[in-house]
């Protein structure tokens, strides 16, 4: 059982609390953007509350892009899937996006490719049907997340 965020085990392609702490200490002036779906988000909140990550911000993908546009220059530490770095560079070329873990790759995000999306739209494959009451509850949850990130 993990007693504190500092005891979270390291992962090959995940982001550990040790990596967060080490990167934040190495670049104390750099903002730290953490995606809420990243496995490190909950321990990061604990670390931020303990004062270990004072520049940490939990941000949606859109929130990261908006925040990156407001940074004048320098580095931004990014705790999420490394594919996000390209989007951050496009949002603000004056900012250097630094991954907390350069091997952090989300296999689920890589499952959707332009080719698969086109095939799905063109052929109507992989259509998902959801019961109306489940869809309504899910819609409320997504809308609440969007409201927090706005």
């Amino acid at each position: 059982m993990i007693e504190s965020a500092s005891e979270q085990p390291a992962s090959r392609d995940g982001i550990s609390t040790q990596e967060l702490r080490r990167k934040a200490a190495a670049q104390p002036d750099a903002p730290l953007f953490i995606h809420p779906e990243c496995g490190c988000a909950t321990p990061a909140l604990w670390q931020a509350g303990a004062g270990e990550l004072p520049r940490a911000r939990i941000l949606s993908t859109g929130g990261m892009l908006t925040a990156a546009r407001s940074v004048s220059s320098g580095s931004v530490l990014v705790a999420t899937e490394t594919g996000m770095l390209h989007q951050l560079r496009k949002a603000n070329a004056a900012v250097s996006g630094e991954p907390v873990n350069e091997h952090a790759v989300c296999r689920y995000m890589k499952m959707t490719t332009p080719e698969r999306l086109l095939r799905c739209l063109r052929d109507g494959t992989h259509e998902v049907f959801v019961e109306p009451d489940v869809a309504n509850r899910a819609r409320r949850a997504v809308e609440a997340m969007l409201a927090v990130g706005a």
Side-chain angles (χ1 to χ4, degrees):
M1 179 175 178
I2 297 172
E3 295 296 324
S4 71
S6 63
E7 297 175 28
Q8 178 190 13
S11 161
R12 181 176 56 94
D13 55 0
I15 298 171
S16 71
T17 55
Q18 295 89 348
E19 287 173 306
L20 283 171
R21 189 179 302 111
R22 183 176 49 77
K23 287 281 190 163
Q27 297 187 46
D29 295 330
L32 171 59
F33 297 169
I34 303 168
H35 195 274
E37 293 176 13
C38 185
C40 68
T42 299
L45 285 172
W46 184 87
Q47 285 180 287
E52 297 174 16
L53 300 174
R55 306 212 16 115
R57 296 177 62 193
I58 307 292
L59 298 165
S60 65
T61 300
M64 287 186 180
L65 295 173
T66 299
R69 288 183 192 103
S70 69
V71 176
S72 58
S73 65
S75 293
V76 173
L77 297 172
V78 182
T80 190
E81 219 271 344
T82 55
M84 183 67 191
L85 296 172
H86 175 71
Q87 293 182 54
L88 289 171
R89 289 182 192 116
K90 281 177 52 178
N92 186 347
V95 174
S96 170
E98 306 281 334
V100 170
N101 178 344
E102 64 187 35
H103 303 290
V105 176
C106 178
R107 65 181 174 155
Y108 299 108
M109 290 183 72
K110 301 299 184 201
M111 293 173 85
T112 303
T113 64
E115 295 79 18
R116 287 181 173 178
L117 179 59
L118 176 61
R119 185 176 61 239
C120 176
L121 293 171
R122 184 184 56 227
D123 302 339
T125 58
H126 306 294
E127 190 171 357
V128 176
F129 294 95
V130 179
E131 295 294 324
D133 64 317
V134 174
N136 288 332
R137 290 194 317 265
R139 187 175 297 106
R140 284 194 302 271
V142 170
E143 288 170 350
M145 285 190 294
L146 292 172
V148 168

